[in-house]
Structures are given as structure tokens and as C-alpha cells.
Amino acid sequence: MNRILVIGGTGTVGRQVVSRLAATGARVRAMARNPGAARLPPQVEVVRGDLTLPETLDGCLDGIDAVFLVWTAPATAVAPALERITKHARRIVFLSAPLKTPHPLFQQPNPLRAMVEHIERLIETSGLQWTFLRPGMFAANALNWWAPQIRAGDVMRWPYLAAPTTPIDERDIAAVAVRALYEDGHDGAGYVLTGPQSLGQFEQVSAIGRVIGRSLRIEEISPDEAQRELLRIGPLVAVNMLLNAWAAAIGQPAHVTSTVAAITGAPAKTFLDWATDNAAEFRA
Ligand SMILES: NC(=O)c1ccc[n+]([C@@H]2O[C@H](COP(=O)([O-])OP(=O)(O)OC[C@H]3O[C@@H](n4cnc5c(N)ncnc54)[C@H](OP(=O)(O)O)[C@@H]3O)[C@@H](O)[C@H]2O)c1
């Protein structure tokens, strides 16, 4: 069986990829900057590596056939890291975004998008077998965006409540990733992955309220207020990216695909499924 390195194995998606691979008895290695804090299953080999320090990558990549890559490091580190990966592996599955989907939610220019396009170009010309996973908005964003407010009280303040998205469960992204890492037939594919239904942000917050048995007062705030208040969820560049995407998405249904079901054989999980399984995170 092939040996797989998961880069980003301690994060939202990578952790699920590692757990699924470990559960199948696969030989899986996870890279982390601080292996002692990784909290991964005991059968997983956790190695220290940092994408911004290319000399740390050779040891992590030694004996590796396939890499699952999550990139949240600075753009300046992309080329040297991909050079090391190309030297060792023959297959890469990259967690990208729906850059080529002609829906306004995914078509707003921003610096993060430019970096991901750059990564894709380098991978496409690397000689590696590659697959790009292109998930829409993660259901798990709710943990960072909404859980602190909901734990603190019944008032939820948020912009663009009518903006629809198709939140995808990180377990579904991981299920597709594992197929692409192991099976043949995914070379050169870009899989646009979404949840099963278009849901406005208001409906998503309401669903969480129902799951935890509380009636939340959901208040719309202006984009200007949001630009200030949402700095707690990320840097200004990320906040502006979200605000522009939601503004552009108002007034039409979100993009829905059936790719998760087509590749894994199981239907994509609903947002209600996700909220139910993560309800404890929203309880005070
Ligand atoms: N959120 C969304 O709605 C959405 C939608 C589409 C695409 N995406 C894409 O998904 C990706 C984020 O995935 P995620 O949420 O699973 O990530 P995450 O939870 O933020 O985790 C980031 C991972 O990257 C690792 N990492 C960060 N800096 C590193 C470095 N310098 N060297 C090595 N590892 C490093 C972290 O590991 P350690 O800290 O343990 O080292 C961690 O495992 C982004 O590329 C984003 O563009 C997100």
C-alpha cells in the first residue's frame, strides 16, 4: 500500500483525512509544526515540518508516494516547498477552491485567490499526478464565525444574512481526498465539492439554534460594521474576501454539485447533520 503524507493534518480537513486513512490501516504520516500538540490517532506517524522552512520537508517526504496538501502558509514559501514535494512524491491532492466555477460567490478577485492560482499552476507543470479538490464554504466555518457569539448569548450579529451558500462537511471533503489519494482515475481532475443544498446564512444560524434548542435573535449588521467586528475571525484581507463574496451571491441560489456522492457513493451530509454532530461546540 502507498505511503501518504498529510500536510495540514492537524487542521479541519487534514485531521479528517488522517483519521480516515488511519482507520483503513493505511501507512499515513502527518506533518505538523508542533508534533507534541497534534492529538492524532496513535498509529499515525507525526513528523515535524514547516512549509516556510523547506529544509525541514525532505525528512517528512522521505519514502512518500502521495501528498495531501493544505496550504495556509505565506505565498513566498510556495515555490521552494513544491520543489521539495515534487522531488519525492508522484501524486498530490491539493485542497483548493472553486476558482473556475462561474458563480459570483467564487469569482471575486482577492490576493488569497491569486496565491491559490499560483499554487495550481506550479502543480500542473510539476510532472506530478494531481487532483484539485474545490470545496465551497466549509460548514465548519460556523465554529469560528458563530460559535463564540452563540455560546455567549442569544443575539447573533452577522452581515449578508440572505447570502446563500452550500456548506460542506469536512468529513465529505476528506472522503473524496482519500479516494483521490488511493485510487487511480483522478489524475488531472478538479472536483467542485458542495453540500447538498443551497441555504442562506440566516437559515444556517437558525438550524444551529434548533439543534441546540435555543431561539436565537439573528440581527443583520452592515458591511461597514462587519468589516470592524469580523476582524476577530481573521485578517482584513480574509474579511474583505468574504464580504465581497457574500455581497455578490445575494439573489441567486448557491452552486450545488453531486460530486461527493458520485465519488464516494454516499450522499453529501446536510448542514443539519453537521450542526447536530457539532452541537456541543455551540452550547455555553
Ligand atoms: N474555510 C472555507 O470555507 C474554505 C473553502 C474552500 C477552500 N478552503 C481552503 O482550505 C484551506 C484551509 O483548510 P483547513 O480549514 O482544513 O485548515 P486549518 O484548519 O486552518 O489548518 C491549517 C493546517 O495547516 C498547517 N500549517 C499552517 N501553517 C503551516 C506551515 N507553515 N507549515 C506546515 N503546516 C502549516 C497547520 O498545522 P500546524 O499548525 O499543526 O503546523 C494546520 O494543520 C485553505 O487553503 C482555504 O483556502 C477553505
Side-chain angles (χ1 to χ4, degrees):
M1 197 176 272
N2 293 339
R3 176 146 231 171
I4 294 170
L5 176 69
V6 179
I7 299 179
T10 58
T12 304
V13 176
R15 183 172 290 281
Q16 295 295 330
V17 174
V18 170
S19 299
R20 275 176 179 263
L21 289 168
T24 63
R27 293 190 298 163
V28 55
R29 185 183 289 166
M31 189 178 101
R33 287 170 295 177
N34 179 3
R39 294 180 296 104
L40 288 166
Q43 67 271 40
V44 176
E45 180 191 4
V46 186
V47 290
R48 186 183 302 277
D50 187 328
L51 288 164
T52 64
L53 302 171
E55 64 280 8
T56 63
L57 302 180
D58 285 323
C60 301
L61 287 157
D62 188 36
I64 289 295
D65 300 298
V67 168
F68 181 70
L69 178 65
V70 176
W71 191 280
T72 60
T76 49
V78 168
L82 281 173
E83 207 174 287
R84 304 281 169 141
I85 292 171
T86 304
K87 214 169 77 190
H88 292 272
R90 63 183 172 83
R91 177 175 292 185
I92 187 166
V93 177
F94 171 53
L95 181 62
S96 183
L99 304 180
K100 300 188 173 165
T101 300
H103 185 286
L105 184 74
F106 307 128
Q107 289 308 327
Q108 307 313 306
N110 65 75
L112 297 174
R113 176 189 184 93
M115 182 179 74
V116 178
E117 283 169 340
H118 175 57
I119 297 174
E120 288 195 0
R121 275 195 303 276
L122 289 181
I123 291 176
E124 281 166 348
T125 54
S126 66
L128 290 163
Q129 292 174 16
W130 56 264
T131 307
F132 298 150
L133 305 189
R134 302 186 177 286
M137 292 283 186
F138 294 0
N141 290 334
L143 297 175
N144 183 24
W145 294 353
W146 302 329
Q149 281 193 77
I150 294 175
R151 281 197 300 263
D154 287 338
V155 180
M156 243 300 306
R157 290 165 51 79
W158 200 252
Y160 296 113
L161 290 171
T165 66
T166 42
I168 179 158
D169 192 305
E170 61 275 17
R171 294 168 295 185
D172 286 332
I173 304 173
V176 175
V178 167
R179 297 285 185 135
L181 286 163
Y182 263 119
E183 293 176 352
D184 289 329
H186 302 284
D187 188 16
Y191 293 132
V192 180
L193 307 174
T194 73
Q197 54 187 154
S198 173
L199 275 183
Q201 300 202 91
F202 184 93
E203 293 167 284
Q204 294 173 35
V205 177
S206 303
I208 293 170
R210 276 202 307 284
V211 163
I212 60 173
R214 284 183 28 214
S215 89
L216 301 171
R217 204 168 82 226
I218 307 168
E219 294 178 355
E220 172 116 8
I221 58 172
S222 72
D224 283 349
E225 281 176 289
Q227 216 177 29
R228 290 189 299 274
E229 293 190 19
L230 269 56
L231 287 176
R232 63 181 165 73
I233 69 165
L236 187 61
V237 60
V239 171
N240 283 337
M241 175 185 76
L242 288 168
L243 293 174
N244 291 337
W246 290 324
I250 295 273
Q252 67 232 281
H255 185 72
V256 184
T257 72
S258 52
T259 314
V260 168
I263 292 176
T264 67
K269 292 182 175 51
T270 65
F271 186 71
L272 200 59
D273 293 332
W274 182 90
T276 304
D277 293 343
N278 289 275
E281 304 291 336
F282 297 91
R283 294 205 166 98

